[in-house]
Amino acid sequence: MPAMSTNTPAISRDEATRGFLFALSAYLMWGFLPFYMKAVAHIPAPEVIAHRITWSIPIAALLLWWLGRTSDIKTALRTPRTLAMGTLTATLITINWGVYVWAIGNDRALETALGYYINPLFSVFLGAVVLGEKLTRAQMVAIGLAVIAVALLTWESGGLPWVSIVLALSWGFYALFKKTLPIGPAQGFFLEVLILGIPALVYIAYLQSSGAGHFGTTGMTDVWLMLGCGIVTAVPLILFANGAKLLRMSTIGIMQYIAPTMIFVIAIFIFREPFSSERAVAFALIWAALAIYTWSMFSERAKNG
């Protein structure tokens, strides 16, 4: 789920409303995504990822054709640096998708919620370390609370909550390197799935030829689920990209908590995942950290006018 993004300073009320509806639709789709991932949990995660990539390509291609931006992709494919950065971001998003799909299928949705809660705090930390951005005292406190929460979960489970950490790290670095792509978000997404498309198709062909694939060999339900992977992958990303352009950073900053909160509720009350007292304290620390971080963000904005 994307981190915050800067936006055009002068935004009309109609544009803000449209942007809000775009972003809200994206976050709601991400929030309900665990149900879809549960439906494909009987299919190995690598196969699901391969189909997410494959069926995202025609959706992203149609969008670029409709926008009249196909020339951007032609330019990108002829630029080695853009291809290299596209390959890097494609690798990071594949890791993120893979861990997420695996975690939902293995009853660890709660850990994915934690990972996406940690993500904005990790992005702030990354900005300070990599980009030299100055941390405020409130941001340092928020990051410190997140570290304590992770340490508590490590003690509770006897090992690092690696699902949460990998999700936060992969998406944080993805968002960071995505900024270096000299093309728009829709073009960047198409470039990523295009780069991943060949290995994904080769893997699907191998599975089908060896009889291990689920596309057309295990019933039409699996066929439709695999085809739908493209929709649930591409559509929210496209909606978010359009919404982020029309909203203030502070608005996106608040809205990004919608999806992990929905996943948290679904994990506890619908999937019935265990929620120990240690986990409750860890999540309380994360929520306190996010409250401090959000307050500091609004305070900084008010100070700067």
Side-chain angles (χ1 to χ4, degrees):
M1 288 144 218
M4 292 181 295
S5 165
T6 55
N7 304 283
T8 307
I11 302 171
S12 71
R13 182 173 296 180
D14 287 344
E15 288 177 324
T17 301
R18 284 195 298 118
F20 176 80
L21 293 174
F22 281 142
L24 179 62
S25 299
Y27 283 119
L28 289 176
M29 290 182 74
W30 280 321
F32 284 116
L33 189 58
F35 290 119
Y36 200 93
M37 293 300 107
K38 276 290 187 184
V40 297
H42 62 288
I43 301 171
E47 186 176 359
V48 174
I49 299 306
H51 282 280
R52 288 188 76 171
I53 293 164
T54 301
W55 303 115
S56 291
I57 293 173
I59 296 173
L62 281 172
L63 175 68
L64 291 187
W65 173 79
W66 181 63
L67 293 173
R69 304 306 298 266
T70 54
S71 60
D72 294 348
I73 295 299
K74 294 176 184 176
T75 302
L77 291 173
R78 293 194 296 265
T79 309
R81 184 181 179 278
T82 303
L83 277 175
M85 291 306 302
T87 301
L88 177 58
T89 56
T91 301
L92 289 168
I93 196 64
T94 302
I95 293 170
N96 188 273
W97 288 347
V99 172
Y100 177 82
V101 171
W102 179 88
I104 298 296
N106 285 272
D107 302 322
R108 298 173 78 164
L110 205 54
E111 291 181 48
T112 70
L114 179 64
Y116 289 122
Y117 275 134
I118 292 173
N119 175 61
L121 300 175
F122 176 69
S123 293
V124 170
F125 172 77
L126 204 57
V129 173
V130 178
L131 303 178
E133 296 175 356
K134 188 177 179 181
L135 288 174
T136 65
R137 187 172 298 176
Q139 288 173 334
M140 287 190 282
V141 170
I143 292 170
L145 288 174
V147 171
I148 293 171
V150 170
L152 178 60
L153 289 172
T154 300
W155 173 79
E156 185 258 351
S157 63
L160 282 171
W162 68 270
V163 168
S164 306
I165 292 172
V166 172
L167 287 176
L169 265 61
S170 60
W171 195 271
F173 280 110
Y174 173 76
L176 176 69
F177 291 125
K178 185 85 169 179
K179 292 179 181 179
T180 67
L181 276 175
I183 51 178
Q187 297 94 312
F189 174 67
F190 179 70
L191 179 64
E192 288 162 357
V193 291
L194 198 61
I195 291 169
L196 295 168
I198 294 176
L201 285 169
V202 169
Y203 182 64
I204 291 170
Y206 164 74
L207 291 176
Q208 295 301 120
S209 63
S210 64
H214 290 74
F215 192 78
T217 58
T218 54
M220 282 305 297
T221 299
D222 283 346
V223 171
W224 288 114
L225 284 171
M226 295 294 95
L227 290 172
C229 282
I231 296 173
V232 301
T233 299
V235 172
L237 279 168
I238 292 168
L239 286 171
F240 175 83
N242 284 279
K245 290 178 183 178
L246 301 172
L247 289 175
R248 291 183 175 183
M249 183 174 69
S250 55
T251 304
I252 291 292
I254 294 296
M255 294 182 75
Q256 69 181 326
Y257 304 138
I258 294 173
T261 300
M262 291 176 66
I263 296 170
F264 175 83
V265 171
I266 289 168
I268 293 178
F269 296 105
I270 299 178
F271 294 165
R272 300 290 182 179
E273 293 187 10
F275 191 59
S276 63
S277 57
E278 290 86 358
R279 284 191 170 192
V281 172
F283 270 92
L285 288 169
I286 291 294
W287 291 330
L290 291 173
I292 293 169
Y293 160 71
T294 305
W295 169 79
S296 71
M297 180 179 63
F298 277 104
S299 297
E300 193 68 23
R301 186 178 182 86
K303 190 187 300 181
N304 296 331

